[in-house]
């Protein structure tokens, strides 16, 4: 992405390590691109980091995981988030991803948060808050390249005036535990969870979905 700062440390490391980014730590003026290919790596957020705008996580020939854990907080403001092939945003115990505000696309297959081509958004003990969220979370793909939103424990909380979650074109929402909480602000024209074109939702164990007005 033009104007982005790109992760360059093939060994992974801490998000706030200035030397691991080619143009410094991302912020609201400089998007984050974690798209370096090759070796598998983990980038860890264990403290509060500066708010960011657009972020892309992908690795066409390995894996790139952004792990938010142990008091880490990753704030995202009015941005597109793309998690593609080989990419994962994982929010574990003590981790918090906070999305404030929204942008949206006229393309129904593009989400404000897009989990595509084998990418993963995983919540395992942490919390993802989408506040005043007027866009869409879109999971899509097919076969081994299915976009997956996975909740094992912890919470995905969405406060929205729009249609917040679409699982389309072979994408999957998988809950083996945890809580998906949706609060409506205003009137939804469509259901809060949509499954057009072959999407799937799998619920197991003590998984919970809470919808409130």
């Amino acid at each position: 992405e033009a104007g982005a700062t790109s992760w360059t440390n093939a060994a992974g490391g801490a998000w706030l390590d200035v030397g691991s980014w080619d143009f410094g730590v991302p912020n609201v003026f400089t998007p984050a691109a974690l798209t370096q290919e090759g070796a598998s790596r983990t980038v860890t957020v264990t403290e509060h980091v500066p708010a960011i705008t657009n972020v892309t996580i992908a690795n066409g020939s390995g894996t790139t995981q952004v792990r938010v854990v142990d008091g880490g907080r990753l704030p995202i403001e009015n941005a597109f988030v793309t998690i593609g092939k080989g990419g994962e945003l994982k929010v574990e115990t003590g981790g918090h991803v906070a999305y404030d505000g929204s942008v949206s696309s006229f393309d129904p297959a593009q989400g404000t948060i897009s989990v595509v081509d084998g990418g993963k958004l995983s919540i395992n003990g942490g919390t993802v808050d989408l506040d005043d969220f007027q866009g869409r979370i879109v999971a899509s793909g097919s076969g081994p390249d299915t976009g997956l939103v996975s909740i094992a424990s912890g919470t995905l909380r969405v406060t929205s005036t729009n249609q917040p979650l679409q699982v389309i074109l072979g994408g999957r929402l998988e809950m083996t535990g945890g809580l998906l909480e949706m609060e409506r602000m205003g009137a939804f024209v469509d259901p809060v969870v949509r499954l057009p074109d072959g999407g799937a939702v799998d619920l197991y164990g003590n998984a919970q979905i809470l919808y409130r007005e």
Side-chain angles (χ1 to χ4, degrees):
E1 180 178 345
T5 182
S6 296
W7 183 269
T8 59
N9 186 347
W15 181 278
L16 288 178
D17 180 9
V18 175
S20 292
W21 301 92
D22 60 359
F23 292 106
V25 174
N27 54 50
V28 292
F29 304 106
T30 308
L34 297 102
T35 54
Q36 184 186 44
E37 296 196 1
S40 297
R41 63 191 62 85
T42 299
V43 180
T44 306
V45 179
T46 56
E47 54 191 303
H48 288 211
V49 303
I52 60 172
T53 183
N54 295 0
V55 56
T56 302
I57 307 168
N59 187 335
S61 56
T63 60
T64 295
Q65 180 188 85
V66 175
R67 184 170 177 250
V68 187
V69 67
D70 295 338
R73 185 175 189 272
L74 179 63
I76 304 170
E77 296 184 359
N78 294 308
F80 287 109
V81 177
T82 303
I83 307 170
K85 182 178 178 63
E88 181 178 16
L89 175 57
K90 189 169 189 178
V91 189
E92 297 185 289
T93 302
H96 186 201
V97 172
Y99 189 111
D100 186 21
S102 187
V103 293
S104 59
S105 169
F106 291 107
D107 180 355
Q110 179 179 0
T112 305
I113 300 175
S114 296
V115 186
V116 299
D117 299 332
K120 296 179 183 178
L121 170 59
S122 304
I123 303 173
N124 190 1
T127 300
V128 176
D129 278 316
L130 308 178
D131 190 32
D132 190 23
F133 190 69
Q134 299 174 41
R136 297 180 299 272
I137 303 172
V138 172
S140 63
S142 61
D145 294 327
T146 294
L148 176 64
V149 178
S150 172
I151 305 174
S153 59
T155 302
L156 171 57
R157 183 179 298 114
V158 185
T159 304
S160 178
T161 58
N162 202 345
Q163 171 188 298
L165 179 59
Q166 292 190 85
V167 184
I168 69 171
L169 300 172
R172 287 174 57 215
L173 166 64
E174 180 181 273
M175 295 184 65
T176 57
L179 173 64
L180 171 58
E181 181 179 343
M182 296 186 180
E183 180 176 355
R184 183 176 75 174
M185 298 173 60
F188 286 125
V189 175
D190 295 305
V192 293
V193 179
R194 295 187 68 231
L195 303 172
D197 303 319
V201 174
D202 297 321
L203 303 179
Y204 305 95
N206 62 349
Q208 299 179 69
I209 296 178
L210 173 64
Y211 171 62
R212 65 179 71 190
E213 300 185 3

